[in-house]
Amino acid sequence: MRLKATVSLMALIREKAKHQTSRSQWRSLLCMETSMDHIPEDIPDDLKKIRMENCHLTELPQGSFSLNSALEYLWLNFNEITLMNIRSLEGLANLTELRLQGNKLTSVPWTTFQDTPKLKILDLKLNRLDALPEHALKHLPSLTYLDLSFNQLTIISKEVFVNWPLYQSAKKAWGKEGLVSNVVLGLHDNPWLCDCRLKGFVEFVGAVGPPIILMNSYLMCSSPVSKVDKFFHEIQLKTCTKPMASVPDSNVTLPLGGNATLRCIVKARPVPTIQWMYILKMIRGFASTHTQIDEDTVTSQLVIPSVHLADRGIYTCMANNFIGNTSANIMLNIDSPNSSAPIPPPVPMISAEDNAHVDIHIAKQTVYGITLEWHAVTDNPAETWFTIHFGKLDTPKKEMIYIGPGINSYSVSDLLPVTKYEVCVTLKNYPPRKGQCILFVTGSDISELEQRERLIHIVVVVCAMVLAVPAGMYACTTEARFSCVDRCVDLCKKRRMHQEDLEGNERQHTFDSLQAASDEALCRDSNEKATKRRKSEDRCKGGSAAYLY
């Protein structure tokens, strides 16, 4: 039935293409409101214009129109396209106009435009784009019309346009000759976040002139609250600054059973993220609140009800933004007859529940960081809390963030480029064990960040699992000093021996939008795996990385 429908659709396409021949003897294809789940493979190869609108297309796979080398106009408006393959436009060297208005794209692989050097018109209006990488326009030297209006852009750098080869050449030509083709930009109706990170772009918009022409020069702020509904020309943005933390009282003494409120004041631009940390204690669901005092100042307070002797010690208020981080300490003393008693050891004996396995994965990559998710099966999930150990791989002392019961996700922001990181999730305040950590490296080439539909593998410290994360991060085996092959083979043998006993009860490692390696792939001959491992290590010597496309 499906084959018959496909044949009928192709017959219809050929018939339409046959009768849509203009006086200049070039043919076009028009498909409107035709339900198709993919782009047909045998579209006539002599078409110069293809228009498929309201056809429920969901993606542009590799080589979607690679046989249509004569194609000049491609209109795919008002479909449901969410994904463009990085090579979806290959073979379209003559394409001059691409319209993707009214789709569901959250990102665009900008390097795909290397295949379309003659592209003049690019319409991305009414999509869901939330980021524009610094070198997004690098491969669009002939563009004269770019519409990014009605998307979800919040912050972009002026370098996006300053580094645009067309902008540089047109500006010089305009100054010398006074006449070049205008470049039309549509940037209006985006939820602009008007803080210090948008300073350069706001200044660019205010100073822009021919040959750059804005469709609507009245760009408006959507946040923060102090700048909502204000036009760019009405605001003055300050330069971003590193956080500076201070505490009104660095030494607090309370009676046993009293309520403690620890306060921290942070000045920074943009608004920093603030976390409270305590290295030698068990978190009991303490509440912290943040209050915005003015544009540059935030106060944070940590409330500890009915303090115990175990609560005494040094509490750290840590603040960070994309420029840097800072911290301030508060010593909490408990006034009690038994206050001289030593602080309980931070790592108690491990019970069966506390030794439970923790599944950890990177669920999402944002413009500035990542979001972790984890899962652990325990007898008392309502009372189980976690510790996140996070920091640069070569830093022996990691930051520790305590997460209360009922929470299984955490976002890490302001990651530095070209940096190796390690993140671990443990139950309570136990130190990390193998299998509870992920190693990853942030990318250096901004063009890689834009290719978020590409997945590349990242090696978890437990060898029997291979996770994938969005592009912009990649695995490096340089620091992997233990043998994965033997452990993988042993684990797989044990799993096969107990397969019947575990049937129906085996935990499945499911990762949202990620790919997991199959047992079969992990259970190959150990000699073959050892050979591959040596090759991988050779590729990674010197800190390089192995990409998986």
Side-chain angles (χ1 to χ4, degrees):
M1 187 68 180
R2 185 182 182 88
L3 178 61
K4 183 177 180 180
T6 303
V7 172
S8 299
L9 177 60
M10 288 312 305
L12 176 62
I13 288 176
R14 293 193 190 95
E15 189 65 22
K16 286 185 177 182
K18 179 178 180 181
H19 289 90
Q20 292 184 33
T21 305
S22 68
R23 294 179 181 179
S24 58
Q25 297 301 310
W26 56 270
R27 300 199 299 169
S28 64
L29 171 64
L30 174 63
C31 291
M32 302 290 287
E33 299 182 2
T34 302
S35 181
M36 56 176 72
D37 56 3
H38 65 280
I39 296 173
E41 297 180 358
D42 51 349
I43 296 176
D45 57 9
D46 59 345
L47 300 176
K48 286 200 173 183
K49 181 175 182 178
I50 293 178
R51 186 175 180 182
M52 297 180 179
E53 299 184 356
N54 288 299
C55 292
H56 305 289
L57 297 173
T58 59
E59 67 173 314
L60 294 181
Q62 177 178 349
S64 300
F65 302 95
S66 58
L67 300 179
N68 302 96
S69 58
L71 193 63
E72 296 181 12
Y73 306 91
L74 179 57
W75 291 17
L76 301 172
N77 298 323
F78 303 106
N79 283 287
E80 299 175 10
I81 299 173
T82 59
L83 180 65
M84 282 183 67
N85 185 278
I86 192 173
R87 303 192 65 182
S88 57
L89 302 180
E90 65 178 354
L92 300 182
N94 293 309
L95 190 68
T96 60
E97 186 172 324
L98 175 61
R99 296 187 180 272
L100 291 165
Q101 179 182 160
N103 280 283
K104 298 180 180 180
L105 291 168
T106 57
S107 64
V108 172
W110 295 95
T111 51
T112 192
F113 296 113
Q114 294 180 90
D115 296 322
T116 59
K118 297 181 180 180
L119 193 65
K120 294 180 180 292
I121 296 176
L122 178 58
D123 186 357
L124 294 168
K125 179 180 180 180
L126 287 168
N127 275 276
R128 301 174 183 178
L129 302 179
D130 58 4
L132 197 61
E134 189 172 312
H135 296 282
L137 308 182
K138 178 180 179 180
H139 303 294
L140 294 166
S142 303
L143 206 62
T144 59
Y145 180 96
L146 174 62
D147 194 349
L148 294 168
S149 60
F150 293 93
N151 275 277
Q152 296 299 315
L153 298 173
T154 56
I155 296 174
I156 62 176
S157 169
K158 71 173 182 179
E159 305 303 322
V160 172
F161 305 101
V162 172
N163 293 336
W164 188 8
L166 177 63
Y167 174 76
Q168 296 291 345
S169 60
K171 193 174 181 180
K172 293 178 181 178
W174 181 275
K176 291 181 179 179
E177 305 170 12
L179 182 63
V180 295
S181 297
N182 289 323
V183 180
V184 179
L185 291 178
L187 298 168
H188 53 281
D189 289 284
N190 280 286
W192 299 112
L193 171 57
C194 296
D195 65 16
C196 64
R197 289 168 290 183
L198 205 64
K199 182 176 184 292
F201 177 65
V202 170
E203 293 173 349
F204 170 80
V205 171
V208 73
I212 305 295
I213 297 176
L214 296 178
M215 294 183 200
N216 184 346
S217 60
Y218 290 92
L219 304 188
M220 184 178 291
C221 302
S222 293
S223 60
V225 176
S226 61
K227 294 183 173 62
V228 171
D229 293 339
K230 289 188 177 181
F231 294 110
F232 279 15
H233 65 267
E234 296 177 327
I235 63 174
Q236 292 289 332
L237 298 179
K238 300 177 182 179
T239 303
C240 294
T241 61
K242 176 183 175 180
M244 296 295 293
S246 61
V247 293
D249 191 351
S250 61
N251 199 311
V252 178
T253 301
L254 292 171
L256 184 67
N259 295 330
T261 300
L262 309 182
R263 292 182 176 85
C264 174
I265 301 173
V266 180
K267 291 182 175 291
R269 287 192 299 268
V271 175
T273 57
I274 302 176
Q275 300 164 332
W276 287 89
M277 301 171 59
Y278 181 37
I279 298 177
L280 298 177
K281 73 174 299 300
M282 296 177 64
I283 293 296
R284 294 184 288 118
F286 302 154
S288 63
T289 58
H290 312 306
T291 304
Q292 187 87 30
I293 301 301
D294 56 40
E295 186 176 353
D296 304 332
T297 308
V298 179
T299 63
S300 177
Q301 65 178 27
L302 178 69
V303 177
I304 308 174
S306 186
V307 293
H308 295 234
L309 288 177
D311 294 326
R312 61 194 169 120
I314 298 176
Y315 289 77
T316 301
C317 170
M318 178 168 290
N320 68 83
N321 61 17
F322 75 99
I323 294 182
N325 60 70
T326 187
S327 63
N329 295 330
I330 299 178
M331 180 66 191
L332 177 61
N333 304 293
I334 308 300
D335 189 5
S336 169
N338 297 323
S339 59
S340 60
I343 297 176
V347 182
M349 296 298 290
I350 298 179
S351 66
E353 176 184 319
D354 294 335
N355 198 29
H357 179 72
V358 179
D359 287 337
I360 173 177
H361 66 276
I362 297 177
K364 180 182 178 182
Q365 179 188 352
T366 64
V367 177
Y368 302 105
I370 60 172
T371 297
L372 300 170
E373 289 186 358
W374 61 87
H375 174 73
V377 178
T378 61
D379 294 334
N380 299 303
E383 299 179 3
T384 302
W385 54 276
F386 302 89
T387 300
I388 294 178
H389 307 257
F390 178 79
K392 296 180 182 178
L393 186 59
D394 55 359
T395 303
K397 188 175 182 180
K398 301 291 190 295
E399 294 181 10
M400 294 178 12
I401 302 97
Y402 296 96
I403 305 296
I407 302 174
N408 68 338
S409 66
Y410 181 77
S411 294
V412 179
S413 60
D414 306 317
L415 298 177
L416 298 174
V418 199
T419 304
K420 299 177 184 178
Y421 287 100
E422 180 181 43
V423 58
C424 310
V425 177
T426 64
L427 268 70
K428 301 183 179 179
N429 58 340
Y430 296 116
R433 295 181 289 107
K434 290 182 179 180
Q436 296 178 333
C437 302
I438 290 178
L439 308 179
F440 66 91
V441 181
T442 52
S444 59
D445 184 359
I446 195 70
S447 63
E448 295 298 329
L449 293 178
E450 71 211 21
Q451 301 166 20
R452 288 184 289 180
E453 80 285 357
R454 292 167 54 193
L455 296 178
I456 47 185
H457 287 79
I458 191 166
V459 178
V460 180
V461 174
V462 130
C463 294
M465 265 196 288
V466 178
L467 306 182
V469 299
M473 298 189 183
Y474 47 88
C476 182
T477 60
T478 306
E479 300 296 332
R481 305 187 184 279
F482 56 90
S483 173
C484 288
V485 178
D486 297 335
R487 291 187 59 192
C488 290
V489 172
D490 292 341
L491 288 172
C492 291
K493 286 180 178 179
K494 291 179 181 179
R495 175 173 292 183
R496 285 177 175 173
M497 291 174 61
H498 299 285
Q499 184 174 6
E500 293 183 0
D501 296 335
L502 295 176
E503 184 177 358
N505 296 319
E506 181 179 5
R507 184 189 297 111
Q508 298 179 355
H509 299 290
T510 303
F511 307 97
D512 297 339
S513 303
L514 305 179
Q515 297 175 339
S518 64
D519 293 340
E520 290 77 13
L522 293 169
C523 296
R524 293 175 182 169
D525 183 76
S526 60
N527 293 330
E528 178 182 347
K529 297 290 281 185
T531 302
K532 292 185 177 180
R533 180 190 57 177
R534 287 194 294 271
K535 291 181 179 179
S536 177
E537 291 175 345
D538 291 339
R539 287 197 301 269
C540 278
K541 285 181 179 179
S544 60
Y547 283 75
L548 179 62
Y549 295 88

